[in-house]
Amino acid sequence: MARNILVTGGGTGIGRAVALHFAEQGEQVVVTGRRAAPIEELAAEDGVRAVVCDHTDPAALTRLLDELPPRIDVLVNNAGGNVLFDTEAGADLASYARDFRANIEANLISAALTTKALDARLAEGGAVVHIGSIAADQGAGSYGASKAGLATWNISLAHELGARGITANVVAPGYIADTEFFRDRLTDERRGQLIANTATGRPGSPEDVVGAIAFLASPAARHVTGQVLHVNGGAHTTR
Ligand code: NDP
C-alpha cells in the first residue's frame, strides 16, 4: 500500500528531490511551501499534491490539516533556511532580536509546530525526519543554533513517539549545491572552501540527502531513532 508522505518546503532544492523520489516509488506525497508556483509546478508529477502553507504559522498549520489524509506515514520537516540570507542585518538590538527569532522560528519552531499539529495522524511504524545542518556543529550564529536546537528537541520527540513505533531522526547536510539555500550570497571563494573541507572533494547534491532520508523512512531503520545522520562528504565527523 502506498504511504502518505508530507515534505515541508518541498517545492525546491532538497525537499523537491525528496518528494520526487518518494513519488517515483509510488508513494502519495504532499508538498508545501509559502510560494504557490514551485509546489504547483511539482504537483504536475504523478503522486504529488501541493498545499500552500507557512510552517511557522499555527493557523496555517491548522488549515493544512484539512488538506491532508487522515494518516501520515512519513513526515519530512525540511522547510527552513538561514533567514539572514534574505535580510540586511541591522546594527541595533531590535533588529538583532528580530533576525535571531526569525531563524529559530524558521528552523526549530516550524518543525516542532508541524510535528505537534500532525501528532494524532502520525501512523504507527512511521517516521519523522527533520533536516538539520552541519551548522549545528560548526556555528553559523542563530541559524546554527536553530539547527542545534532541532537536534536536541528531537531527542525528546523520539522518546515520545517511540512507544508508537514511530522513529524521529535528523539528517544534517553539509554544503548542498543546486538549491535556493544560499540565495546569491555564496562567493566562489566560500564555495571553494566548503568543497575543500570535504573528504570527497565535491559539493553534496539533493540526491545525496534523499538517500539518507529514504533509509530512515524505510523498514531497515526501525530501530534507528533519536539520531543525527550527517551527509557532508566528511566535512564534519563525529569522531
Ligand atoms: P531551498 O531554499 O531550496 O529550500 C527551502 C524550502 O523551504 C523552499 O522551498 C521554501 O519555499 C521552503 N520554506 C522555507 N521556509 C518555509 C516556511 N516557513 N514554510 C513553508 N515552507 C518554507 O534550500 P535547501 O533545499 O537547501 O534547504 C532545505 C533544508 O536543508 C533547509 O532546512 C536548510 O536549512 C537545510 N540545509 C541546506 C543546506 C545546503 O547547503 N543547501 C545545508 C544544510 C542544511 P518558500 O520560500 O516558497 O516557502
Side-chain angles (χ1 to χ4, degrees):
M1 196 173 72
R3 295 182 295 178
N4 293 322
I5 298 181
L6 174 62
V7 183
T8 74
T12 64
I14 294 168
R16 184 176 195 278
V18 172
L20 282 172
H21 166 81
F22 282 127
E24 282 161 15
Q25 300 292 309
E27 315 284 23
Q28 293 296 314
V29 183
V30 175
V31 291
T32 58
R34 292 164 300 185
R35 291 166 295 166
I39 54 173
E40 281 172 3
E41 191 218 306
L42 192 59
E45 302 288 332
D46 277 349
V48 182
R49 212 152 52 79
V51 184
V52 169
C53 179
D54 179 344
H55 286 266
T56 64
D57 179 357
L61 284 164
T62 304
R63 288 194 298 275
L64 173 66
L65 291 178
D66 294 337
E67 306 292 332
L68 293 179
R71 190 191 83 248
I72 297 290
D73 299 284
V74 180
L75 166 61
V76 182
N77 281 318
N78 163 80
N82 189 342
V83 301
L84 295 180
F85 293 152
D86 279 330
T87 173
E88 289 308 318
D92 60 295
L93 198 53
S95 314
Y96 182 78
R98 178 201 63 206
D99 295 344
F100 209 113
R101 288 194 178 109
N103 255 338
I104 302 292
E105 289 255 348
N107 296 291
L108 171 56
I109 295 180
S110 62
L113 287 179
T114 304
T115 310
K116 182 76 179 166
L118 285 173
D119 182 69
R121 301 213 190 169
L122 295 176
E124 198 167 321
V128 180
V129 183
H130 320 287
I131 309 303
S133 174
I134 193 172
D137 293 286
Q138 295 195 331
S142 56
Y143 173 67
S146 70
K147 295 294 195 182
L150 181 61
T152 304
W153 167 73
N154 180 64
I155 297 169
S156 43
L157 180 68
H159 281 271
E160 284 165 27
L161 297 180
R164 290 156 59 192
I166 303 167
T167 59
N169 291 287
V170 176
V171 169
Y175 167 46
I176 306 296
D178 301 326
T179 83
E180 295 183 359
F181 178 80
F182 287 97
R183 308 299 197 250
D184 58 357
R185 302 291 183 103
L186 188 62
T187 62
D188 288 345
E189 187 189 2
R190 179 69 181 138
R191 183 172 187 278
Q193 278 172 356
L194 291 171
I195 294 170
N197 289 343
T198 66
T200 52
R202 68 166 177 88
S205 68
E207 288 69 29
D208 288 321
V209 185
V210 169
I213 296 170
F215 164 67
L216 290 170
S218 78
R222 293 303 78 208
H223 204 51
V224 181
T225 195
Q227 306 300 318
V228 177
L229 177 50
H230 295 273
V231 181
N232 57 40
H236 168 76
T237 59
T238 53
R239 283 283 181 282

